Amino acid sequence: MVQTHSLKKPKIVIIGGPTASGKSAFAVQCALRFNGEIISADSMQIYRHLDIGTGKITEAEKKGVAHHMIDILEPDENYSVGLYLQEARKKIDSVIAHKKLPIIAGGTGLYINAIINGLNFSDANRSEEVRNKWKKIASQYGNLFIYDKLKKIDPFSAEKINPNDLKRVIRALEIYEVTGKTKSESAAEKECDYDYKLFILDCERNELYEKINARVDKMFADGLMSEAQNLRRFEHCQSMQAIGYKQIYEFMAGKYPDEEMLKEDIKKQTRHYAKRQLTFFKGMKAEKTWITPSDFQSAFAKIEEFINN
């Protein structure tokens, strides 16, 4: 039973981790054990028709558990972290209202971070005018000139940005001009609206890479090439930046000598992506419990204790 006492924050379970680590299967097991429903935190599974290439959970794999935030957009629609957070909060409230446990599961760290830490001003309204102003100043006086301006306004953010990373320097200045607050002020930790238990799935690196390689092989066997071909009219959309589709369109344009080289590159790009996911989760400001597939029983015990306290 999910506690919703007025003096207590709503309880949610969050499952993150790299691609192919087993998040979906673990989330289903948790939902079956603890009367839960799953809210996806995957920035590519939100798109309809991108099924094979995004590793979307099948109806059989769902085992009757309700899944939300999957197949909510057409491939040519754009989306943002802000929109995700808005919709995810509605789904969380709805699941709790039905006296079920919300289980957020996915590998998009930005989505999970938004649920835990809220949005910061990196999601603030943008100003083309402000950006163009600073670009003009940079072209006239050099990158170091505007970097020095940032150092005076927001030394904490400046310390984290390379002086030659013009885009990030200008973005930090833009945030200050648009919001009246520095980027570092806006990124300060915000108390989470939920009482959460966050699990990050991981496994031995070679084992993870073997799972990734096997998953890519299965995607091709299941018809990834045909799926990409059917979606080619969306080739230049945000959704088609997903690993796999992008490389297939490059293959169709003659970049790869054969399909085997294409497959190997998709495997390599996916392995690199998994590393970036892990790096993000390691750096995320949140209480985390790292688990491997062999730890699932102990994770169930932790969830039991969490929802009953």
Side-chain angles (χ1 to χ4, degrees), residues 5 7 9 13 29 63 70 84 102 115 149 177 182 199 210 221 232-233 248 253 294:
H5 191 284
L7 296 178
K9 293 179 182 180
V13 169
Q29 288 182 53
K63 299 189 176 186
I70 294 174
Y84 172 80
I115 288 169
K149 292 282 185 189
E177 288 203 30
T182 65
F199 294 95
E210 282 174 15
R232 196 166 188 187
R233 65 190 182 280
I248 286 172
S294 61

PDB file of all heavy atoms in Angstrom, residues 5 7 9 13 29 63 70 84 102 115 149 177 182 199 210 221 232-233 248 253 294:
ATOM      1  N   HIS A   5      -0.373   9.867   3.421  1.00  0.00           N
ATOM      2  CA  HIS A   5      -0.751  10.697   4.563  1.00  0.00           C
ATOM      3  C   HIS A   5      -0.353  12.140   4.264  1.00  0.00           C
ATOM      4  O   HIS A   5       0.691  12.403   3.690  1.00  0.00           O
ATOM      5  CB  HIS A   5      -0.033  10.177   5.822  1.00  0.00           C
ATOM      6  CG  HIS A   5      -0.552  10.786   7.089  1.00  0.00           C
ATOM      7  ND1 HIS A   5      -0.234  12.053   7.479  1.00  0.00           N
ATOM      8  CD2 HIS A   5      -1.387  10.288   8.032  1.00  0.00           C
ATOM      9  CE1 HIS A   5      -0.827  12.322   8.645  1.00  0.00           C
ATOM     10  NE2 HIS A   5      -1.534  11.265   8.995  1.00  0.00           N
ATOM     11  N   LEU A   7       0.906  14.416   5.876  1.00  0.00           N
ATOM     12  CA  LEU A   7       2.181  14.900   6.404  1.00  0.00           C
ATOM     13  C   LEU A   7       3.367  14.186   5.767  1.00  0.00           C
ATOM     14  O   LEU A   7       4.504  14.482   6.080  1.00  0.00           O
ATOM     15  CB  LEU A   7       2.220  14.717   7.925  1.00  0.00           C
ATOM     16  CG  LEU A   7       1.185  15.532   8.721  1.00  0.00           C
ATOM     17  CD1 LEU A   7       1.289  15.232  10.195  1.00  0.00           C
ATOM     18  CD2 LEU A   7       1.371  17.023   8.465  1.00  0.00           C
ATOM     19  N   LYS A   9       5.356  12.633   2.239  1.00  0.00           N
ATOM     20  CA  LYS A   9       5.451  12.734   0.783  1.00  0.00           C
ATOM     21  C   LYS A   9       5.022  11.411   0.150  1.00  0.00           C
ATOM     22  O   LYS A   9       5.237  10.346   0.728  1.00  0.00           O
ATOM     23  CB  LYS A   9       6.910  13.015   0.382  1.00  0.00           C
ATOM     24  CG  LYS A   9       7.422  14.372   0.820  1.00  0.00           C
ATOM     25  CD  LYS A   9       8.860  14.506   0.377  1.00  0.00           C
ATOM     26  CE  LYS A   9       9.449  15.818   0.831  1.00  0.00           C
ATOM     27  NZ  LYS A   9      10.851  15.956   0.412  1.00  0.00           N
ATOM     28  N   VAL A  13       9.169   4.449  -6.380  1.00  0.00           N
ATOM     29  CA  VAL A  13      10.399   3.680  -6.614  1.00  0.00           C
ATOM     30  C   VAL A  13      10.913   4.061  -7.993  1.00  0.00           C
ATOM     31  O   VAL A  13      10.140   4.204  -8.945  1.00  0.00           O
ATOM     32  CB  VAL A  13      10.129   2.154  -6.529  1.00  0.00           C
ATOM     33  CG1 VAL A  13      11.327   1.353  -7.045  1.00  0.00           C
ATOM     34  CG2 VAL A  13       9.807   1.758  -5.097  1.00  0.00           C
ATOM     35  N   GLN A  29       8.852  -7.030 -12.357  1.00  0.00           N
ATOM     36  CA  GLN A  29       8.860  -7.873 -11.151  1.00  0.00           C
ATOM     37  C   GLN A  29       8.446  -7.066  -9.917  1.00  0.00           C
ATOM     38  O   GLN A  29       7.670  -7.532  -9.082  1.00  0.00           O
ATOM     39  CB  GLN A  29      10.258  -8.465 -10.924  1.00  0.00           C
ATOM     40  CG  GLN A  29      10.633  -9.552 -11.922  1.00  0.00           C
ATOM     41  CD  GLN A  29      12.005 -10.131 -11.596  1.00  0.00           C
ATOM     42  OE1 GLN A  29      12.270 -10.564 -10.477  1.00  0.00           O
ATOM     43  NE2 GLN A  29      12.888 -10.138 -12.580  1.00  0.00           N
ATOM     44  N   LYS A  63       3.534  -8.463 -18.809  1.00  0.00           N
ATOM     45  CA  LYS A  63       2.858  -9.391 -17.880  1.00  0.00           C
ATOM     46  C   LYS A  63       1.623  -8.770 -17.226  1.00  0.00           C
ATOM     47  O   LYS A  63       1.355  -8.980 -16.036  1.00  0.00           O
ATOM     48  CB  LYS A  63       3.839  -9.877 -16.812  1.00  0.00           C
ATOM     49  CG  LYS A  63       5.004 -10.609 -17.411  1.00  0.00           C
ATOM     50  CD  LYS A  63       5.878 -11.284 -16.404  1.00  0.00           C
ATOM     51  CE  LYS A  63       6.948 -12.068 -17.145  1.00  0.00           C
ATOM     52  NZ  LYS A  63       7.801 -12.879 -16.400  1.00  0.00           N
ATOM     53  N   ILE A  70       4.806   5.663 -22.709  1.00  0.00           N
ATOM     54  CA  ILE A  70       5.343   4.959 -23.884  1.00  0.00           C
ATOM     55  C   ILE A  70       4.347   5.190 -25.022  1.00  0.00           C
ATOM     56  O   ILE A  70       3.133   5.182 -24.798  1.00  0.00           O
ATOM     57  CB  ILE A  70       5.508   3.450 -23.604  1.00  0.00           C
ATOM     58  CG1 ILE A  70       6.576   3.210 -22.538  1.00  0.00           C
ATOM     59  CG2 ILE A  70       5.876   2.694 -24.881  1.00  0.00           C
ATOM     60  CD1 ILE A  70       6.715   1.754 -22.091  1.00  0.00           C
ATOM     61  N   TYR A  84       8.234  16.317 -20.211  1.00  0.00           N
ATOM     62  CA  TYR A  84       8.232  14.993 -19.588  1.00  0.00           C
ATOM     63  C   TYR A  84       7.868  15.108 -18.111  1.00  0.00           C
ATOM     64  O   TYR A  84       7.014  14.365 -17.608  1.00  0.00           O
ATOM     65  CB  TYR A  84       9.591  14.301 -19.726  1.00  0.00           C
ATOM     66  CG  TYR A  84       9.633  13.027 -18.914  1.00  0.00           C
ATOM     67  CD1 TYR A  84       9.049  11.855 -19.398  1.00  0.00           C
ATOM     68  CD2 TYR A  84      10.186  13.007 -17.635  1.00  0.00           C
ATOM     69  CE1 TYR A  84       9.013  10.695 -18.625  1.00  0.00           C
ATOM     70  CE2 TYR A  84      10.161  11.853 -16.861  1.00  0.00           C
ATOM     71  CZ  TYR A  84       9.579  10.701 -17.357  1.00  0.00           C
ATOM     72  OH  TYR A  84       9.530   9.567 -16.592  1.00  0.00           O
ATOM     73  N   PRO A 102       3.853   3.931  -7.753  1.00  0.00           N
ATOM     74  CA  PRO A 102       4.478   4.382  -8.993  1.00  0.00           C
ATOM     75  C   PRO A 102       5.932   3.887  -9.068  1.00  0.00           C
ATOM     76  O   PRO A 102       6.711   4.077  -8.134  1.00  0.00           O
ATOM     77  CB  PRO A 102       4.446   5.912  -8.888  1.00  0.00           C
ATOM     78  CG  PRO A 102       3.504   6.215  -7.757  1.00  0.00           C
ATOM     79  CD  PRO A 102       3.602   5.046  -6.826  1.00  0.00           C
ATOM     80  N   ILE A 115      12.719  14.374 -12.061  1.00  0.00           N
ATOM     81  CA  ILE A 115      11.745  13.922 -11.074  1.00  0.00           C
ATOM     82  C   ILE A 115      12.291  14.093  -9.654  1.00  0.00           C
ATOM     83  O   ILE A 115      11.573  14.507  -8.742  1.00  0.00           O
ATOM     84  CB  ILE A 115      11.358  12.445 -11.329  1.00  0.00           C
ATOM     85  CG1 ILE A 115      10.483  12.354 -12.592  1.00  0.00           C
ATOM     86  CG2 ILE A 115      10.618  11.844 -10.135  1.00  0.00           C
ATOM     87  CD1 ILE A 115      10.243  10.948 -13.095  1.00  0.00           C
ATOM     88  N   LYS A 149      33.557  37.790 -18.593  1.00  0.00           N
ATOM     89  CA  LYS A 149      32.276  38.363 -18.153  1.00  0.00           C
ATOM     90  C   LYS A 149      31.526  37.344 -17.295  1.00  0.00           C
ATOM     91  O   LYS A 149      30.970  37.672 -16.248  1.00  0.00           O
ATOM     92  CB  LYS A 149      31.414  38.742 -19.363  1.00  0.00           C
ATOM     93  CG  LYS A 149      31.957  39.899 -20.190  1.00  0.00           C
ATOM     94  CD  LYS A 149      31.683  41.220 -19.515  1.00  0.00           C
ATOM     95  CE  LYS A 149      32.117  42.382 -20.397  1.00  0.00           C
ATOM     96  NZ  LYS A 149      32.054  43.672 -19.668  1.00  0.00           N
ATOM     97  N   GLU A 177      20.673  36.536 -17.932  1.00  0.00           N
ATOM     98  CA  GLU A 177      19.921  37.679 -18.470  1.00  0.00           C
ATOM     99  C   GLU A 177      18.415  37.409 -18.518  1.00  0.00           C
ATOM    100  O   GLU A 177      17.605  38.303 -18.296  1.00  0.00           O
ATOM    101  CB  GLU A 177      20.436  38.046 -19.866  1.00  0.00           C
ATOM    102  CG  GLU A 177      21.810  38.694 -19.830  1.00  0.00           C
ATOM    103  CD  GLU A 177      22.087  39.536 -21.060  1.00  0.00           C
ATOM    104  OE1 GLU A 177      21.142  40.094 -21.640  1.00  0.00           O
ATOM    105  OE2 GLU A 177      23.264  39.631 -21.451  1.00  0.00           O
ATOM    106  N   THR A 182      21.874  33.241 -11.648  1.00  0.00           N
ATOM    107  CA  THR A 182      22.978  32.564 -12.313  1.00  0.00           C
ATOM    108  C   THR A 182      22.637  31.101 -12.538  1.00  0.00           C
ATOM    109  O   THR A 182      21.741  30.551 -11.880  1.00  0.00           O
ATOM    110  CB  THR A 182      24.266  32.642 -11.475  1.00  0.00           C
ATOM    111  OG1 THR A 182      24.054  31.915 -10.257  1.00  0.00           O
ATOM    112  CG2 THR A 182      24.645  34.080 -11.162  1.00  0.00           C
ATOM    113  N   PHE A 199      17.067   2.879  -7.403  1.00  0.00           N
ATOM    114  CA  PHE A 199      17.982   1.769  -7.680  1.00  0.00           C
ATOM    115  C   PHE A 199      18.641   2.014  -9.038  1.00  0.00           C
ATOM    116  O   PHE A 199      17.960   2.356 -10.011  1.00  0.00           O
ATOM    117  CB  PHE A 199      17.221   0.435  -7.738  1.00  0.00           C
ATOM    118  CG  PHE A 199      16.619   0.023  -6.426  1.00  0.00           C
ATOM    119  CD1 PHE A 199      15.294   0.325  -6.126  1.00  0.00           C
ATOM    120  CD2 PHE A 199      17.375  -0.659  -5.487  1.00  0.00           C
ATOM    121  CE1 PHE A 199      14.732  -0.050  -4.927  1.00  0.00           C
ATOM    122  CE2 PHE A 199      16.818  -1.040  -4.270  1.00  0.00           C
ATOM    123  CZ  PHE A 199      15.491  -0.736  -3.984  1.00  0.00           C
ATOM    124  N   GLU A 210      28.353  -7.717 -23.560  1.00  0.00           N
ATOM    125  CA  GLU A 210      27.839  -8.922 -24.234  1.00  0.00           C
ATOM    126  C   GLU A 210      26.317  -8.828 -24.420  1.00  0.00           C
ATOM    127  O   GLU A 210      25.785  -9.195 -25.467  1.00  0.00           O
ATOM    128  CB  GLU A 210      28.186 -10.172 -23.417  1.00  0.00           C
ATOM    129  CG  GLU A 210      29.641 -10.614 -23.581  1.00  0.00           C
ATOM    130  CD  GLU A 210      30.000 -11.761 -22.651  1.00  0.00           C
ATOM    131  OE1 GLU A 210      29.074 -12.403 -22.100  1.00  0.00           O
ATOM    132  OE2 GLU A 210      31.213 -12.015 -22.473  1.00  0.00           O
ATOM    133  N   ALA A 221      17.710  -9.267 -36.278  1.00  0.00           N
ATOM    134  CA  ALA A 221      16.951 -10.486 -36.579  1.00  0.00           C
ATOM    135  C   ALA A 221      15.447 -10.220 -36.532  1.00  0.00           C
ATOM    136  O   ALA A 221      14.673 -10.829 -37.278  1.00  0.00           O
ATOM    137  CB  ALA A 221      17.324 -11.588 -35.586  1.00  0.00           C
ATOM    138  N   ARG A 232      11.653   6.164 -42.667  1.00  0.00           N
ATOM    139  CA  ARG A 232      12.656   7.029 -43.279  1.00  0.00           C
ATOM    140  C   ARG A 232      12.150   8.450 -43.548  1.00  0.00           C
ATOM    141  O   ARG A 232      12.936   9.396 -43.591  1.00  0.00           O
ATOM    142  CB  ARG A 232      13.199   6.417 -44.573  1.00  0.00           C
ATOM    143  CG  ARG A 232      14.504   7.104 -44.980  1.00  0.00           C
ATOM    144  CD  ARG A 232      15.279   6.378 -46.013  1.00  0.00           C
ATOM    145  NE  ARG A 232      16.583   6.987 -46.207  1.00  0.00           N
ATOM    146  CZ  ARG A 232      17.423   6.646 -47.138  1.00  0.00           C
ATOM    147  NH1 ARG A 232      17.136   5.656 -47.976  1.00  0.00           N
ATOM    148  NH2 ARG A 232      18.591   7.253 -47.251  1.00  0.00           N
ATOM    149  N   ARG A 233      10.843   8.605 -43.694  1.00  0.00           N
ATOM    150  CA  ARG A 233      10.312   9.953 -43.932  1.00  0.00           C
ATOM    151  C   ARG A 233      10.562  10.867 -42.724  1.00  0.00           C
ATOM    152  O   ARG A 233      10.470  12.084 -42.827  1.00  0.00           O
ATOM    153  CB  ARG A 233       8.816   9.894 -44.247  1.00  0.00           C
ATOM    154  CG  ARG A 233       7.925   9.408 -43.119  1.00  0.00           C
ATOM    155  CD  ARG A 233       6.503   9.158 -43.619  1.00  0.00           C
ATOM    156  NE  ARG A 233       5.586   8.730 -42.577  1.00  0.00           N
ATOM    157  CZ  ARG A 233       5.504   7.489 -42.118  1.00  0.00           C
ATOM    158  NH1 ARG A 233       6.322   6.548 -42.578  1.00  0.00           N
ATOM    159  NH2 ARG A 233       4.619   7.172 -41.194  1.00  0.00           N
ATOM    160  N   ILE A 248      21.614   3.380 -39.635  1.00  0.00           N
ATOM    161  CA  ILE A 248      20.999   2.676 -40.772  1.00  0.00           C
ATOM    162  C   ILE A 248      20.788   3.645 -41.937  1.00  0.00           C
ATOM    163  O   ILE A 248      21.029   3.288 -43.100  1.00  0.00           O
ATOM    164  CB  ILE A 248      19.681   1.996 -40.347  1.00  0.00           C
ATOM    165  CG1 ILE A 248      19.999   0.752 -39.498  1.00  0.00           C
ATOM    166  CG2 ILE A 248      18.850   1.593 -41.569  1.00  0.00           C
ATOM    167  CD1 ILE A 248      18.798   0.102 -38.857  1.00  0.00           C
ATOM    168  N   ALA A 253      22.865   5.558 -47.185  1.00  0.00           N
ATOM    169  CA  ALA A 253      23.507   6.622 -47.973  1.00  0.00           C
ATOM    170  C   ALA A 253      24.919   6.221 -48.413  1.00  0.00           C
ATOM    171  O   ALA A 253      25.627   7.009 -49.041  1.00  0.00           O
ATOM    172  CB  ALA A 253      23.556   7.909 -47.154  1.00  0.00           C
ATOM    173  N   SER A 294      21.841 -10.084  -9.684  1.00  0.00           N
ATOM    174  CA  SER A 294      21.889 -11.071  -8.589  1.00  0.00           C
ATOM    175  C   SER A 294      21.422 -10.472  -7.257  1.00  0.00           C
ATOM    176  O   SER A 294      21.244 -11.189  -6.274  1.00  0.00           O
ATOM    177  CB  SER A 294      23.308 -11.622  -8.432  1.00  0.00           C
ATOM    178  OG  SER A 294      24.207 -10.571  -8.106  1.00  0.00           O
TER     179      SER A 294
END
